[in-house]
């Protein structure tokens, strides 16, 4: 919702946009393990190819997996394009917040596997090697500034906007209780609470 509408907004203002999703970048998509590594390498390869083919003004990355692509592309000689790190949630901040509550940033919510604990990728490079950072909240923008990712004048927080169709709904106290969920089914997003709440409402499936 956020990324697609952001791209549509740019196109509406006359910009030409090439938008690629994770499925178009990740290497060996049928493999089950090491997805973040495969995605990081794939993003770098696709971005490098497009930078040479399209001669863009801006390359905008979403997500901490862009650390490799950002680090490599930022060192390109005579590059004309700017690199923007646009985040739906700064991964270092997410990790710190979970750690403070004794939680883990894994899909299942449990401690990382032995190889995950050994692999420490410099995710901060996704933000420190970019030319600017854009976040989806002012709180995350302030965190990026405190961490020294970019100087204040190169950090921007843009709150996610909701379409009028979501905001102009009339209140109806008699409508049935329904739980709606959108996003990856990850433990850190509170799925255990959603499952328990759904069972209380008689909803066995989402």
């Amino acid at each position: 919702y956020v990324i697609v509408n952001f791209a549509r907004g740019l196109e509406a203002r006359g910009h030409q946009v090439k938008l690629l999703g994770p499925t178009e970048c990740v290497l060996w998509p049928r493999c089950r393990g090491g997805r973040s590594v495969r995605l990081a390498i794939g993003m770098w390869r696709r971005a490098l190819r497009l930078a040479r083919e399209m001669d863009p003004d801006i390359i905008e990355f979403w997500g901490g997996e862009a650390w490799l692509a950002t680090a490599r592309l930022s060192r390109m000689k005579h590059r004309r394009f700017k690199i923007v790190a646009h985040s739906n949630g700064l991964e270092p901040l997410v990790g710190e917040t979970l750690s403070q509550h004794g939680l883990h940033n894994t899909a299942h919510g449990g401690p990382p596997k032995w190889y995950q604990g050994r692999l420490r990728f410099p995710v901060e490079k996704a933000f420190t090697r970019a030319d600017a950072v854009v976040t989806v909240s002012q709180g995350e923008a302030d965190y990026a500034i405190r961490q020294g990712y970019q100087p204040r004048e190169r950090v921007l927080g843009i709150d996610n906007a909701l379409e009028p169709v979501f905001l102009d709904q009339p209140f109806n106290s008699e409508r049935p209780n329904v739980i709606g969920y959108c996003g990856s089914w990850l433990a850190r997003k509170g799925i255990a609470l959603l499952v328990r709440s759904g069972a209380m409402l008689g909803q066995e499936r989402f």
Side-chain angles (χ1 to χ4, degrees), residues 59-136:
I59 294 182
E60 194 150 341
F61 291 113
W62 297 71
E65 288 86 0
W67 63 268
L68 178 61
T70 304
R72 294 295 182 90
L73 265 62
S74 66
R75 296 201 299 264
M76 286 181 63
K77 294 182 178 180
H78 312 298
R79 69 178 174 97
R80 298 171 54 188
F81 57 86
K82 298 295 184 181
I83 301 174
V84 177
H86 203 147
S87 175
N88 271 338
L90 295 171
E91 284 80 358
L93 176 57
V94 172
E96 288 183 15
T97 304
L98 291 172
S99 179
Q100 290 172 1
H101 294 84
L103 303 174
H104 303 278
N105 192 15
T106 57
H108 49 78
K113 297 179 180 179
W114 67 269
Y115 59 86
Q116 293 174 318
R118 290 173 180 265
L119 295 176
R120 300 293 183 183
F121 299 108
V123 175
E124 289 80 4
K125 286 187 178 181
F127 315 108
T128 58
R129 296 294 180 86
D131 297 301
V133 172
V134 180
T135 68
V136 292

Side-chain angles (χ1 to χ4, degrees), residues 17 53 143 146 173:
V17 179
E53 293 176 354
Y143 175 86
R146 290 197 306 270
S173 61

Side-chain angles (χ1 to χ4, degrees), residues 8 21-22 24 50 63-64 71 84 106-107 120 123 132 135 137 166-167 170 186 198:
R8 288 174 178 170
E24 298 169 275
L50 289 175
V84 177
T106 57
R120 300 293 183 183
V123 175
T135 68
S137 73
F166 295 107
L167 300 175
L186 302 175

